[in-house]
């Protein structure tokens, strides 16, 4: 049995980052999208370690005795389509490594998940701690949630990628129907957006305080999480305002039925 994995990972890191591996069982190739079976190999010493290419990709290869049992029900047969899925999962895990190494620098972090090809984009705890004053301001945090949400939604919508905004600064991005080349491009654009946000958030916070915007009423009378998720689904504030304007007009017209002459 052989295990193929990206040389950017140490073998024991594969589980930490949910990185994928390719498994060679008696000459038949399978893909483990998140290294579920690696746990069965921990503590076992490979009989051979070397590097080689497969489908023009360069891999570390660990070779083990054939008597190791793996659950092939969790494995995907190796095909062109499943290899593309391998590349996607691997790209997300590599982004996770990059953000882990620069955790205090970036506002957002990108992580792989155990749910198929789902990517988790969320607020970096290190960045939050470094900028605790900013995130302690509930008014600025409110508008920042909306701004970040609309920017991410706009980026993903251009590539027809589905996503959800579940909690403040937590986005679940579904790459299950995507191609590797598209995912790679999106991750690069997301990194660029993240770099810009990471630098500009303190600057925007200073601007926000200088302008002294009045947001008390909307903050006090709105369930913030629900409100920001609604805007995320819309993709921009303008469309929500347009629909609310229509609702206002309808209510104005219906209210006429309760005027004295219609009583």
């Amino acid at each position: 049995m052989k295990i193929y994995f990206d040389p950017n990972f140490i073998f024991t890191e594969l589980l930490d980052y949910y990185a994928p591996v390719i498994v060679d069982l008696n000459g038949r190739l399978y893909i483990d999208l998140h290294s579920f079976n690696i746990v069965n190999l921990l503590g076992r010493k490979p009989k051979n370690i070397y590097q080689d290419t497969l489908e023009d990709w360069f891999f570390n290869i660990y070779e083990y005795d054939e008597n190791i049992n793996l659950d092939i029900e969790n494995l995907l047969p190796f095909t062109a389509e499943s290899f593309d899925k391998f590349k996607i999962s691997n790209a997300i895990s590599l982004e996770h490594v990059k953000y882990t190494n620069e955790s205090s620098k970036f506002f957002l972090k990108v992580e792989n998940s155990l749910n198929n090809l789902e990517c988790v984009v969320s607020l970096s705890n290190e960045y939050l701690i470094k900028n605790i004053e900013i995130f302690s301001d509930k008014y600025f945090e409110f508008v920042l949630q909306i701004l970040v949400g609309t920017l991410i939604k706009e980026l993903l919508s251009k590539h027809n990628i589905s996503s959800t905004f579940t909690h403040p600064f937590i986005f679940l991005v579904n790459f299950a129907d995507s191609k590797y080349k598209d995912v790679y491009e999106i991750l690069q654009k997301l990194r660029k957006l993240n770099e810009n946000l990471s630098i500009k958030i303190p600057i925007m916070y200073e601007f926000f305080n200088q302008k002294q915007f009045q947001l008390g009423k909307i903050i006090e009378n709105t369930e913030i999480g629900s409100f920001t998720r609604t805007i995320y689904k819309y993709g921009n504030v303008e469309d929500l305002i347009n629909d609310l304007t229509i609702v206002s007009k309808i209510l104005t017209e219906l209210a006429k039925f309760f005027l004295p002459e219609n009583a």
Side-chain angles (χ1 to χ4, degrees):
M1 184 188 73
K2 301 175 185 177
I3 300 293
Y4 295 70
F5 61 96
D6 190 303
N8 288 292
F9 296 103
I10 299 171
F11 185 77
T12 53
E13 289 180 334
L14 293 169
L15 284 173
D16 295 333
Y17 297 104
Y18 305 144
V21 296
I22 297 173
V23 182
D24 182 335
L25 294 175
N26 299 318
R28 298 188 66 177
L29 297 178
Y30 299 89
I31 288 176
D32 187 340
L33 276 183
H34 303 296
S35 293
F36 287 114
N37 280 285
I38 292 302
V39 68
N40 298 308
L41 302 175
L42 295 179
R44 294 177 180 263
K45 186 177 180 179
K47 68 178 183 181
N48 197 11
I49 297 176
Y50 58 99
Q51 294 181 321
D52 203 351
T53 58
L54 177 65
E55 297 292 331
D56 297 323
W57 275 59
F58 192 67
F59 290 97
N60 280 345
I61 302 173
Y62 278 25
E63 187 174 357
Y64 295 86
D65 292 329
E66 298 296 330
N67 61 354
I68 299 175
N69 294 320
L70 297 183
D71 183 6
I72 63 172
E73 290 184 0
N74 292 323
L75 305 178
L76 300 175
F78 188 96
T79 63
E81 180 179 356
S82 63
F83 188 45
D84 205 58
K85 291 181 181 294
F86 169 93
K87 295 175 186 177
I88 293 172
S89 182
N90 195 66
I92 300 171
S93 293
L94 285 176
E95 284 298 295
H96 189 177
V97 173
K98 293 175 186 176
Y99 285 114
T100 298
N101 293 334
E102 303 175 288
S103 56
S104 63
K105 175 182 175 182
F106 286 107
F107 163 56
L108 297 171
K109 59 183 177 179
V110 172
E111 301 173 274
N112 210 341
S113 83
L114 293 175
N115 185 23
N116 196 10
L117 294 178
E118 181 182 76
C119 173
V120 181
V121 181
S122 61
L123 173 62
S124 165
N125 288 334
E126 289 82 359
Y127 188 89
L128 184 152
I129 293 170
K130 183 180 177 181
N131 298 277
I132 192 66
E133 179 186 1
I134 293 175
F135 294 95
S136 297
D137 187 326
K138 63 180 180 181
Y139 301 108
F140 180 74
E141 185 181 21
F142 168 67
V143 294
L144 185 62
Q145 282 184 43
I146 297 173
L147 174 64
V148 173
T150 52
L151 289 173
I152 290 179
K153 184 64 177 287
E154 180 181 8
L155 169 61
L156 298 175
S157 296
K158 288 180 179 178
H159 294 268
N160 295 316
I161 302 297
S162 63
S163 61
T164 55
F165 179 17
T166 56
H167 298 285
F169 302 116
I170 299 179
F171 307 87
L172 304 182
V173 185
N174 183 7
F175 288 132
D177 298 321
S178 304
K179 298 296 183 183
Y180 166 68
K181 62 181 183 64
D182 297 321
V183 172
Y184 181 84
E185 180 182 352
I186 292 166
L187 290 175
Q188 298 310 303
K189 289 181 178 179
L190 182 59
R191 172 170 277 267
K192 184 63 177 178
L193 173 61
N194 197 9
E195 288 175 348
N196 287 332
L197 282 168
S198 302
I199 294 170
K200 294 177 180 178
I201 284 175
I203 300 171
M204 290 189 293
Y205 179 61
E206 183 178 349
F207 168 80
F208 180 84
N209 279 333
Q210 288 175 351
K211 291 295 183 178
Q212 296 184 331
F213 294 108
Q214 300 301 311
L215 291 171
K217 191 170 183 178
I218 192 170
I219 296 292
E220 292 168 5
N221 294 282
T222 306
E223 204 290 304
I224 302 303
S226 177
F227 185 77
T228 50
R229 284 193 294 272
T230 297
I231 293 177
Y232 188 77
K233 290 179 181 179
Y234 268 86
N236 60 73
V237 177
E238 288 75 16
D239 286 348
L240 176 59
I241 291 173
N242 288 337
D243 279 357
L244 288 175
T245 300
I246 293 172
V247 171
S248 178
K249 290 179 180 178
I250 293 172
L251 292 174
T252 298
E253 292 300 316
L254 293 179
K256 294 178 181 178
F257 287 92
F258 296 92
L259 294 174
E261 58 268 26
N262 293 320

